[in-house]
Amino acid sequence: MDELTIARSLFGSSLAFHIIFATLGVGLPFMILVSEIVYQITRDRDYTVMAKRWTKAQAILLGVAIPSGTIVAVQLSLLWPKFMEVVGEVIALPFQIELFAFFLEALFMSIYVYAADRLSPITRIVSVFLVALGGSASAVLITSANAWMNTPTGFKASGGKITEVHPLNAFFNPSFPSAALHVLASAYMTGAFAIAGLAAWRMLHRKSEDREYGYHKKALMMSLAVGGLMSLATAWNGHAAGQVLYDYQPEKLAAAEGHFETRAYAPLALGGIVDPDKGELVGAIKIPWALSFLADNRFDAVVKGLNDFPRENWPPFYVHTLFNLMVVIGVLLIFLSFLAWILQWRRRGKKKTSLPRWLLGTLAPSGLLSMLGIEFGWVFTCSGRQPWTVYHYQRTSEAVTDAAGLGLWFVVFIGLYLLLLVGTVIVMHSFFGRHPLREELEGIQQEYPAEGEW
Amino acid sequence: MDEAILAISLVWLFVFIYAILGSVDFGTGFWGMVYTRKGAQAGSIANRFLSPTWEVTNVFLVLLVVTLVAFFPAAIYSFGMALLIPGSLVLILLTIRSTFMVFHHSVQRFRNTLDIVSGVTGVLIPSLLVSVLPILTGGFIDPETRTLRIGKLFTSPVTCAYLAFGLSSELFLSAAFLADYSREADNESTYRVFRRHVVWLGPLTLATAVLTTFLMGREAVWLRDRLLEERLWFFLSFAAFLIGYLALFWKSRDPGKSRGLPRLSFTLFITQYALASFAYGRAHLPYLVYPDLTVAKSVTNPEMFRYLLVSYAIGLAILVPGFYLFWRLFLKDKRYLHQR
Ligand code: HDD
Ligand code: HEM
Ligand code: HEM
């Protein structure tokens, strides 16, 4: 592998690792906030137990989210120094503001975790709100930087020099609104399904008359409500993001669809593999006219095909598969969460309150699926932008460092990530093994507040 | 003041803040290791401080990197090339340390290993960070390939002197802080432990500082000459140290307490470092990296500059109350300080 490929692999892996913890760092605080609010409405103490246990999980995840984010931030400068030069001139603002969001999150997370027993209920909710706000804000801000790489605005390039910089125009670039909403909605959705999946898994292993079954069912239905709504929102603004592609990054849209011939009434392609020699998509299911309609709300919209672009500017073809998988996951999860609520609604008033086991079985992997959706989506945007780092301005080969010997670091960092994944799982297991739910549910029979030692 | 100077002042201010916070944070990890293994209370005091604060300290490191990129984009290429190896090492150690800090809190079983990890990385990370300073003074970057001569860096006596100075400063400042923190927690026996450390580390740190200046002066003549011009500041810095050191021996007004006024000492030691880094920073100007990168050449465009300053103003206005609450809950609240 050449140094450029290694740099791309190293950086992509670091981000793919960070995004797992970062997404949960946006999604879980949101769910904690929801359960604190549901408690205030229902006064059902099970919801405070949820908030408490999820906070503990989030505090453990934070131990990986923060250093992995630090890695990404520093590696940006180490691996892509010439890209960061452009960032500093044009799109430094979101990076800078993001730090304030990190401070907000770090300060109030410590306060919420280590001082919970000394806070009044209101201060506690305000703290967790600020944690959630900090996480969401950092996601939106970093997305602004990424959206700018896709649709760079706010500067003029003349003779290799950057002039006429307008930081706000760069910040609010054309793909920012749809991308920011899409990232937020998908992160909330992933936080919700992570909990739903775990609750469904636990319910499969409990009898329905158990106290714990009831607890998990509340968690499941609450997170499916959030997850269902958020997955609808994700699909909706994902559609908007697709329309931005049509307007600003036609090569990426064409690659996402395996679309070669420019034409009106273009079909939407599901599945299939691109044959680069023949220049066509083989084995796909095609829905006539749908792509044109989705791209510009008109069946006669002309969708550009890859043949219109020079070959050296084509993105890799696997983005088609990534895009398909992301969309399939989105549609599937919308369907599942609504199905569960409909079944639950039809059983209201009946004696039997358990959910069918086949449904629980299908819901159990939903958290994993949602997380995969996040990964596919990000690799799709970043790889679909290739060969550009800053679209139509800076090529990836122009952004990379000239330093040699990256291969060693690649191996070392991959090892580190594997170690941390294993470590996180062990620590989660060991912590929740020592603090079983049963004990905590018994604890709340007594007086409230019963938190205290975290 | 022109933009480049204002920007570098801000960056240098963050370097200073991180140097102090980092010293206290990493040094506390080290003391925590030493004393938890001996089963003393000093270890638990150290860990009590560390649990809620390391995350906030870490954000300051990121703040430093981001501020440098934002204000001095043209310098990033040189920094990125020169710091690939030490930077990646710091990242790995930092990751291991931070992760273990959190895991430490959740799992009792591995306490001992975890304490060692936080202690050892607490010594290694600052060493690597300090080694950036000699790199910036020139001579360690290959002018052809722009990469770091890592062998030369870690065998040079100058680097060793910087390392010795960095490490003893770290231990000195963290001991001074912990002495004050244990006094605040009304834990006199722990206070005496850390006061003793401050007493021997103070003169040692001073000696390493003098040694570093001397050795560095032989390599980087430009910096030595400029440092000499700033001698007034160094003199003031020394005075702050002296008073702070003497305050360790003054009698407390409260008859139940042992000797020394740790709050006053710690404040004066910070002043000492503030004055000295101000002078060092001034002497380093106009170079970011000697000899080819000056601050004026690498500062960002005026438009971005203005927006960055505005974002700082707004960000600080929002965060100051948060910092205040944080301080009250973890550094002031007796209920937190006194728990067993
Ligand atoms: C749970 C995760 C998830 C799910 C179910 C979906 N997405 Fe997505 N998608 C993301 C998670 C994601 C993401 C990880 O958040 C991305 C990567 C970059 C970004 O802005 O959001 C993304 C990017 C992304 C882009 C690229 C934008 C760009 O490159 O500028 C498009 C066009 C879509 N999505 C469209 C959709 C559609 C039509 C979906 C239909 C259901 C969908 N996504 C579901
Ligand atoms: C889409 C992608 C990303 C999302 C949604 C995201 C979100 C987050 C969140 C929520 C956290 C805080 C973790 C927590 O406190 O729970 C975090 C940490 C961090 N992220 Fe990311 N991030 C993303 C990508 C990046 C990138 C590309 C960078 C590099 C510039 C980055 C830099 C950081 C840093 C430096 C931290 C640690 C902050 C600290 O020290 O507290 N992140 N990220
Ligand atoms: C967090 C989820 C993300 C993942 C999984 C991800 C994944 C990747 C991958 C796989 C690559 C290599 C692309 C290729 O060479 O084919 C890459 C490159 C890159 N990404 Fe992302 N990315 C993420 C988010 C971001 C964000 C938020 C930013 C910007 C702030 C960003 C900036 C970059 C840069 C600068 C490169 C290198 C230059 C380039 O290849 O264009 N990435 N990323």
Side-chain angles (χ1 to χ4, degrees):
Chain A
M1 280 203 284
D2 57 352
E3 294 285 330
L4 174 61
T5 315
I6 298 176
R8 288 160 65 177
S9 317
L10 172 53
F11 193 67
S13 320
S14 296
L15 270 163
F17 182 74
H18 175 60
I19 194 67
I20 300 174
F21 299 87
T23 302
L24 291 174
V26 178
L28 274 188
F30 185 73
M31 289 306 292
I32 297 169
L33 182 64
V34 171
S35 60
E36 287 269 15
I37 292 171
V38 171
Y39 166 70
Q40 292 302 327
I41 297 167
T42 63
R43 291 279 150 189
D44 179 344
R45 281 179 193 159
D46 281 11
Y47 291 103
T48 61
V49 175
M50 288 174 207
K52 185 173 159 182
R53 291 175 74 83
W54 299 343
T55 305
K56 192 57 220 183
Q58 166 62 13
I60 295 174
L61 294 175
L62 203 63
V64 185
I66 290 181
S68 65
T70 312
I71 291 184
V72 183
V74 180
Q75 268 184 358
L76 267 182
S77 298
L78 295 179
L79 297 178
W80 314 103
K82 286 172 258 177
F83 165 63
M84 290 311 273
E85 280 185 33
V86 186
V87 165
E89 294 281 354
V90 188
I91 188 80
L93 214 47
F95 284 95
Q96 192 61 255
I97 303 174
E98 192 184 15
L99 275 160
F100 300 124
F102 287 152
F103 271 124
L104 202 65
E105 179 161 18
L107 281 173
F108 283 94
M109 193 70 198
S110 284
I111 290 174
Y112 187 70
V113 171
Y114 293 101
D117 47 342
R118 289 176 283 145
L119 298 178
S120 68
I122 288 295
T123 330
R124 218 181 55 223
I125 291 193
V126 171
S127 302
V128 73
F129 171 74
L130 290 174
V131 172
L133 184 71
S136 300
S138 63
V140 168
L141 288 159
I142 197 70
T143 303
S144 161
N146 185 263
W148 177 85
M149 295 165 66
N150 287 323
T151 53
T153 44
F155 68 107
K156 286 240 159 59
S158 54
K161 282 200 72 87
I162 289 173
T163 52
E164 292 182 50
V165 175
H166 294 289
L168 286 185
N169 290 353
F171 191 110
F172 296 102
N173 57 77
S175 63
F176 170 62
S178 61
L181 287 176
H182 193 55
V183 166
L184 270 190
S186 62
Y188 294 150
M189 146 183 185
T190 306
F193 280 110
I195 285 165
L198 215 62
W201 175 255
R202 288 281 149 78
M203 287 164 78
L204 278 175
H205 297 89
R206 298 277 183 289
K207 291 209 193 61
S208 57
E209 48 291 350
D210 266 11
R211 171 86 174 79
E212 289 181 39
Y213 188 93
Y215 167 92
H216 287 307
K217 190 169 162 208
K218 286 175 205 161
L220 178 72
M221 294 323 285
M222 181 172 84
S223 51
L224 283 181
V226 175
L229 290 179
M230 287 304 163
S231 48
L232 265 185
T234 303
W236 180 254
N237 41 43
H239 170 60
Q243 298 201 329
V244 174
L245 289 189
Y246 173 74
D247 289 331
Y248 292 92
Q249 286 184 286
E251 305 92 308
K252 196 191 256 181
L253 182 64
E257 288 297 330
H259 179 66
F260 285 87
E261 291 301 329
T262 299
R263 58 176 285 194
Y265 306 101
L268 191 71
L270 277 180
I273 290 179
V274 169
D275 183 338
D277 299 328
K278 283 202 228 129
E280 62 179 282
L281 189 65
V282 197
I285 306 167
K286 298 211 169 170
I287 307 170
W289 299 14
L291 178 58
S292 284
F293 185 73
L294 285 176
D296 200 27
N297 306 328
R298 287 182 302 127
F299 290 114
D300 60 353
V302 176
V303 182
K304 282 203 176 156
L306 284 173
N307 290 342
D308 275 15
F309 301 96
R311 224 185 158 100
E312 77 265 14
N313 284 359
W314 285 5
F317 293 119
Y318 59 78
V319 297
H320 171 62
T321 312
L322 293 176
F323 183 61
N324 275 178
L325 286 172
M326 170 174 71
V327 175
V328 166
I329 290 172
V331 175
L332 184 73
L333 291 181
I334 296 176
F335 174 73
L336 277 181
S337 38
F338 279 83
L339 184 68
W341 267 100
I342 290 169
L343 284 181
Q344 167 75 6
W345 185 72
R346 290 187 43 190
R347 287 171 190 220
R348 91 208 111 104
K350 302 240 176 78
K351 262 219 230 87
K352 194 171 166 219
T353 57
S354 62
L355 287 169
R357 287 183 68 83
W358 61 264
L359 182 65
L360 295 179
T362 6
L363 281 172
S366 62
L368 203 66
L369 279 180
S370 193
M371 188 57 83
L372 282 176
I374 298 278
E375 296 280 358
F376 296 153
W378 278 107
V379 179
F380 165 50
T381 13
C382 274
S383 293
R385 190 181 55 239
Q386 300 308 316
W388 304 100
T389 288
V390 181
Y391 183 67
H392 286 189
Y393 174 72
Q394 185 180 52
R395 282 178 189 273
T396 309
S397 54
E398 296 161 350
V400 72
T401 176
D402 295 316
L406 297 175
L408 174 69
W409 292 115
F410 181 55
V411 176
V412 171
F413 274 101
I414 294 285
L416 182 68
Y417 298 147
L418 289 178
L419 208 71
L420 290 183
L421 274 183
V422 175
T424 314
V425 173
I426 293 179
V427 169
M428 287 274 183
H429 245 272
S430 146
F431 181 82
F432 288 105
R434 270 186 307 111
H435 299 83
L437 177 62
R438 188 171 20 85
E439 274 174 22
E440 251 169 295
L441 289 178
E442 280 161 13
I444 58 164
Q445 312 299 355
Q446 300 142 23
E447 88 203 277
Y448 181 79
E451 51 256 46
E453 48 102 31
W454 286 68
Chain B
M1 216 182 336
D2 74 10
E3 282 165 2
I5 298 295
L6 189 57
I8 193 64
S9 309
L10 211 59
V11 172
W12 196 240
L13 176 71
F14 292 144
V15 172
F16 171 71
I17 293 178
Y18 184 68
I20 299 289
L21 290 179
S23 293
V24 169
D25 190 86
F26 294 118
T28 303
F30 177 78
W31 295 119
M33 169 180 82
V34 171
Y35 285 103
T36 324
R37 304 194 67 209
K38 291 188 185 157
Q41 270 184 8
S44 93
I45 286 260
N47 284 328
R48 192 174 311 149
F49 163 75
L50 223 42
S51 304
T53 43
W54 69 267
E55 298 177 22
V56 178
T57 310
N58 188 69
V59 184
F60 273 100
L61 174 64
V62 183
L63 178 69
L64 190 57
V65 176
V66 169
T67 310
L68 191 69
V69 172
F71 281 124
F72 296 102
I76 295 314
Y77 181 75
S78 297
F79 273 92
M81 291 289 287
L83 299 184
L84 178 67
I85 295 173
S88 301
L89 280 175
V90 166
L91 286 177
I92 289 169
L93 291 171
L94 204 61
T95 304
I96 294 177
R97 176 171 195 266
S98 319
T99 319
F100 276 29
M101 300 288 297
V102 173
F103 291 1
H104 178 280
H105 197 72
S106 309
V107 186
Q108 317 286 332
R109 202 149 34 108
F110 312 120
R111 276 267 148 110
N112 270 338
T113 351
L114 302 183
D115 271 324
I116 295 176
V117 167
S118 122
V120 173
T121 50
V123 174
L124 290 177
I125 297 171
S127 320
L128 285 163
L129 290 176
V130 165
S131 71
V132 174
L133 286 180
I135 296 177
L136 300 187
T137 60
F140 296 106
I141 299 175
D142 192 323
E144 296 276 293
T145 62
R146 311 278 295 269
T147 49
L148 188 65
R149 291 172 172 157
I150 192 91
K152 181 173 177 209
L153 178 68
F154 283 105
T155 49
S156 147
V158 185
T159 315
C160 297
Y162 269 102
L163 286 186
F165 171 65
L167 286 183
S168 58
S169 297
E170 175 201 353
L171 297 180
F172 170 59
L173 283 171
S174 55
F177 169 80
L178 285 170
D180 180 37
Y181 194 69
S182 5
R183 169 71 52 93
E184 189 76 28
D186 290 324
N187 191 331
E188 279 301 301
S189 64
T190 307
Y191 165 73
R192 282 194 294 274
V193 170
F194 286 116
R195 176 183 167 278
R196 239 193 15 248
H197 288 303
V198 183
V199 169
W200 69 269
L201 280 163
L204 180 73
T205 307
L206 203 62
T208 55
V210 173
L211 179 74
T212 310
T213 323
F214 173 72
L215 287 176
M216 177 261 291
R218 291 197 313 194
E219 295 267 329
V221 181
W222 69 277
L223 188 56
R224 185 195 57 195
D225 293 348
R226 298 179 139 275
L227 281 175
L228 284 177
E229 287 168 28
E230 306 292 341
R231 56 186 169 266
L232 174 65
W233 295 106
F234 285 109
F235 181 75
L236 287 176
S237 164
F238 177 70
F241 167 76
L242 208 61
I243 306 172
Y245 195 72
L246 288 177
L248 290 170
F249 300 92
W250 292 344
K251 280 229 173 59
S252 167
R253 236 179 287 155
D254 184 341
K257 306 273 187 206
S258 358
R259 221 145 17 134
L261 304 175
R263 176 60 49 88
L264 180 65
S265 300
F266 185 56
T267 316
L268 281 166
F269 294 152
I270 291 186
T271 316
Q272 167 205 347
Y273 276 83
L275 291 165
S277 13
F278 175 72
Y280 186 90
R282 253 170 70 119
H284 210 286
L285 285 179
Y287 299 105
L288 266 180
V289 184
Y290 186 82
D292 37 35
L293 262 189
T294 63
V295 287
K297 255 205 305 200
S298 31
V299 73
T300 191
N301 59 72
E303 193 61 16
M304 183 54 82
F305 185 79
R306 216 160 46 87
Y307 275 97
L308 289 174
L309 285 191
V310 173
S311 84
Y312 272 110
I314 298 174
L316 281 183
I318 296 173
L319 285 175
V320 165
F323 278 110
Y324 175 69
L325 183 63
F326 188 83
W327 176 76
R328 259 209 5 217
L329 285 170
F330 298 115
L331 293 151
K332 204 70 205 150
D333 192 337
K334 298 278 180 208
R335 277 176 298 170
Y336 185 73
L337 295 169
H338 282 203
Q339 59 180 278
R340 283 291 119 134

